[in-house]
Amino acid sequence: MNVDKAVIPAGGYGTRFLPVTKAQPKEMMPVLDRPTIQYVVEEAVEAGIDDILVITGRGKNAIEDHFDRSYELEAELEKSGKDDRLERVREITDLADIHYIRQQDRAGLGAAVQYAEDHVGDEPFALLLGDNFIESSTPSIENLVDVAEDREESVVALERIPWEEVPAYGIADVADTSGRSYPVDDLVEKPTREAAPSNLAIIGRYVFTPEIFDRLDETERSARGELELTDAMRELSAIRGTEIEGDRYHIGTVPDWLEANIRMALRHDDGQLNETVRRTIEDELDRGNGGV
Ligand code: G1P
């Protein structure tokens, strides 16, 4: 089996990030100099997947504009001889072969994935959530693709998270976590801490065989009225989990986004930027701000 298509759901309302997401997609929130979704597209491309379907919706036009040509801007940069900036603008457009579909029924992640069926057809595909990205030496999705191609099964990326964060994630029940990948026995979406079978969380990277579309069709909406991808995954004939290494940045809420920017700025020594962030934090802490 060969995985050569990726799907990025980006149709959610981003309600946990209001009001900034009222007129702007959550996936366009910047981390340093790029919108979050660009890191996600780059991850897929680095893993050798350049056929990408983005599931968008009303109010998400900025995503399409970002990856589209901007003739006026390019002409302007060319005229003023700003070659390095021109190159960076063009790089975005040349990144991948990006397709879009607008989600009408915004009833959860499972409903978003259903919109991909026509594009991916009867083939396996990678799924990368558009509101988080992972920095690692090998693109995280590549690890999943390797396992999926080797085992011919669906694969989900897992990470051990602090127990207090468990209610915000889909959680896996796994009997034996030895080995590079292992069978997942069961999954539960956003359990209470007490009900959670483990602290192994689904972190938004998956590879699915086309069987997922049949399972989604059979899945009933959850108590919160959403078609949960996790519920459909429970019914797959087989699914493996694999833990991936790297730094994960989740852009779900203001604290998440702030943390992502600070961590990225400190880790990517970009001339003055790193120093400015470090000095600002130290100054604020010295002045007794920041809750200390
Ligand atoms: C979604 C999934 C959940 C997963 C999470 C990772 O939840 O439903 O299983 O753990 O992404 O970010 P959301 O954060 O969209 O509520």
Side-chain angles (χ1 to χ4, degrees), residues 16 109 129 132 169-170 189-190 202-204 206 230 250:
R16 282 173 284 186
L109 185 55
L129 300 195
N132 70 71
Y169 288 88
E189 181 67 12
K190 300 190 174 68
I202 299 174
I203 54 163
Y206 319 72
T230 306
H250 185 221

Side-chain angles (χ1 to χ4, degrees), residues 143-157:
N143 294 322
L144 270 74
V145 168
D146 286 349
V147 175
E149 290 183 346
D150 187 36
R151 300 274 182 167
E152 310 236 319
E153 283 177 15
S154 295
V155 183
V156 57

Side-chain angles (χ1 to χ4, degrees), residues 6-9 109 113 125-129 141 204-208 229:
V7 176
I8 303 178
L109 185 55
V113 173
F125 63 99
L127 181 74
L128 301 92
L129 300 195
I141 198 68
R205 296 291 180 273
Y206 319 72
V207 171
F208 288 116
L229 177 63

